Structures are given as structure tokens and as C-alpha cells.
Amino acid sequence: MLIRTLLFVLAACLTASGAVAAGIELPVPRQTIAPGTEISHQHLIERKFPGRTAQQFAVSTHRAQLVGMVARRTLLPGQPIPVKSVEKPMLVRRGEPARLEFREQGLVIIMQVESLQNGGAGNFVRVRNIDSGLIVSGRVQEDGTIRVEN
């Protein structure tokens, strides 16, 4: 009787774990993606992995998390894509000129600055005013300008 009960419990556990680990569809590269490449829908396919893959490892689970991002390292075909291996495209590059905007109560000041950091949309970066040498921080906008707010 005890053995029969143990077998029943073991079978129930295997069935339950099989249902949980049945699988999850994850986006993976169709071919090798080199660092610096912007990821598009054509670069990705779906592949089935055990359900616990996304829970154990920090990998991207949806195409929307990847499309438009840039690979930070080489991404191998058929392998899940770690979240930390992609980043937003850099709109502002260190050492390059950029456009800074200051807006307050209808007043708009636009000036040329030199970026001291790389940054994508939404990132805060430090920049230096080319004329005065003053260093300020601002948020990178979608169009690549840097907005400073008071």
C-alpha cells in the first residue's frame, strides 16, 4: 500500500512538472548577430525551450523587447538572448557634438555642446558647453537632442 501511494505521488509530481516544463516560445537569432547590429523582426525566429528557462535565466521573452535594440555582444543562432546583451541605440556619442535645448516658460535656448558620455533615448548624459566650458546634465530625446530642465 505504501509503495502504491509513493508511486502515485511520484507519477503526480512528474505529470505536474511536465506540465510546468512543457515549454515556452522564446525569440532567438535566425543567424549570428554581430555586436553593434540593430535587431529587426527578420533577425528573429521563435524556438521552444523548457518553461523554466525564462525563470532561471534573465532572457528576453518577447520580440517587442528586442526589435530596435542593438546587440552589445555576438548573439548566436538558436540561443536565448540575455537581457543584458542588448541596449538602446546610441543617439549621442562621447566626444561628438550634440544639440542642447533648455526650455522654461516659453523661453527656448539652443546651443552646441560636446557630449562627455554615450547615451540612448531617455538616458541622462553629461555635456560640455563648447563656448563656456560649463558642464551640465540632460536627458537624451528620441531625436538625439539633449534637453535640460530647471
Side-chain angles (χ1 to χ4, degrees), residues 1 17 21 23-24 28 40 42 46 55 60 80 88 91 99 101 105-106 117 120 127 130 137 139 144 146:
M1 181 70 170
S17 66
I24 183 171
V28 298
S40 68
Q42 290 77 24
E46 301 293 324
Q55 297 167 349
S60 298
K88 294 178 184 177
L91 299 173
R99 188 174 137 185
E101 290 183 359
Q105 298 177 359
Q117 297 173 299
V127 296
I130 294 172
S137 295
R139 184 182 300 266
I146 301 162

Side-chain angles (χ1 to χ4, degrees), residues 2-19:
L2 180 61
I3 293 176
R4 187 177 291 170
T5 304
L6 287 174
L7 288 175
F8 178 73
V9 170
L10 179 62
C13 288
L14 289 175
T15 303
S17 66

